[in-house]
Amino acid sequence: SASTTRAVVHRSFVGTVARRNEGLIMSLPDGQRTVGSHFVADADLAGLLFDCDGTLIDTMPLFYHSWAEVCPQHGLSMSEDDFYGFAGKPLPDIVREMHRAQKGTDATDAFVAAFLAEKKRAHLQAEEKLGAPAPIACVVALARGALARGVPVCLATSGLREHVERHLESAGLADIFNSRLGNVVCAAEVAAGKPAPDIFLEAARRIGADPARCRAFEDGEAGLASAHAAGCHVVDVTSMAGYPSCDGLRRAKQAAEASRAWLSPPGAAAVPP
């Protein structure tokens, strides 16, 4: 309810309270951008949930290399804007969506499997040549800061587990996200990938937290929609100070923000940083 939202905002001790036409809204520090109307104060946080690719680790430019290489081999194309527009969706879903849009038919399971096998090979070659992706320091600081305060964290990623675990290790994050802790959830482990809410619901369950008392950090539109559907306080990290943005991401973000039908109420805007 509106009264509950105002009460949560009033209790918060981080950020800046600002008066807007719709009442009081809280902005988070360092350019963290709340998407939607649900806000969880620091005092009420039960957990932080993080996407991996493009959120905690700067994998996106590296991943685009493999898409750009493999798509033409299978009669498909993907621009940089397309790539960032797909951000957050499970890989098989992206292949099927492109096939349907560009070829007018549904991709067979064999086509998807062959495409993804070739993409995996191309990605590994690109990573060997260009090096492992770096952590995104401004977001990593949020995760480590939460743990220092006793707030649990969990990863909710559409990535392949073998890629995710290797990238966590190389980025120096395997100490806080790993299979021993059980706080890494991949798309293959839930019934439906982003933008469905399943993966964030499962991530919250893994750390014993109510999703409505979690902040979920994302870069891609599908992930933002997923976290919103799960009932989390949704934070877009791409406007944070120090975030490694690019023109393709900015254009995709602008296009997505113009048509966010998944936000409730319809037409709700992101809370500015």
Side-chain angles (χ1 to χ4, degrees), residues 211-268:
R213 293 182 59 203
C214 291
R215 280 191 201 139
F217 298 86
E218 269 283 359
D219 65 306
E221 194 69 8
L224 295 169
S226 173
H228 180 267
C232 302
H233 172 182
V234 184
V235 179
D236 186 338
V237 302
T238 61
S239 58
M240 288 186 69
Y243 184 86
S245 192
C246 67
D247 289 343
L249 172 60
R250 283 186 282 269
R251 287 191 297 267
K253 187 69 63 176
Q254 184 176 22
E257 289 178 357
S259 58
R260 278 182 171 160
W262 49 267
L263 271 181
S264 180

Side-chain angles (χ1 to χ4, degrees), residues 52-156:
C52 183
D53 298 314
T55 298
L56 277 168
I57 305 179
D58 190 21
T59 54
M60 299 301 275
L62 191 62
F63 281 134
Y64 180 57
H65 276 281
S66 57
W67 284 105
E69 177 182 335
V70 174
C71 278
Q73 300 172 17
H74 294 268
L76 298 172
S77 64
M78 179 185 280
S79 68
E80 186 182 41
D81 290 23
D82 293 335
F83 170 72
Y84 283 104
F86 282 126
K89 292 186 178 182
L91 302 185
D93 293 358
I94 297 174
V95 176
R96 293 182 189 282
E97 192 171 332
M98 285 195 305
H99 194 286
R100 195 175 300 115
Q102 297 178 29
K103 292 177 176 286
T105 59
D106 290 333
T108 64
D109 290 345
F111 179 94
V112 174
F115 185 103
L116 292 179
E118 186 62 21
K119 184 192 174 302
K120 179 180 176 181
R121 180 203 60 75
H123 172 76
L124 290 174
Q125 285 188 344
E127 193 167 318
E128 287 177 3
K129 180 180 179 180
L130 300 173
I136 299 176
C138 57
V139 184
V140 171
L142 298 176
R144 293 201 178 277
L147 288 171
R149 299 191 306 273
V151 178
V153 299
C154 191
L155 200 68

Side-chain angles (χ1 to χ4, degrees), residues 159-249:
L160 301 175
R161 179 167 286 275
E162 60 186 285
H163 287 169
V164 171
E165 290 182 343
R166 186 175 68 255
H167 291 158
L168 288 171
E169 183 69 35
S170 63
L173 296 173
D175 61 319
I176 59 174
F177 298 105
N178 58 63
S179 56
R180 178 181 59 81
L181 295 172
N183 66 347
V184 176
V185 186
C186 297
E189 298 162 25
V190 294
K194 301 172 186 180
D198 304 38
I199 197 164
F200 281 106
L201 294 174
E202 174 61 15
R205 187 194 69 79
R206 294 274 185 99
I207 57 174
D210 178 353
R213 293 182 59 203
C214 291
R215 280 191 201 139
F217 298 86
E218 269 283 359
D219 65 306
E221 194 69 8
L224 295 169
S226 173
H228 180 267
C232 302
H233 172 182
V234 184
V235 179
D236 186 338
V237 302
T238 61
S239 58
M240 288 186 69
Y243 184 86
S245 192
C246 67
D247 289 343
L249 172 60

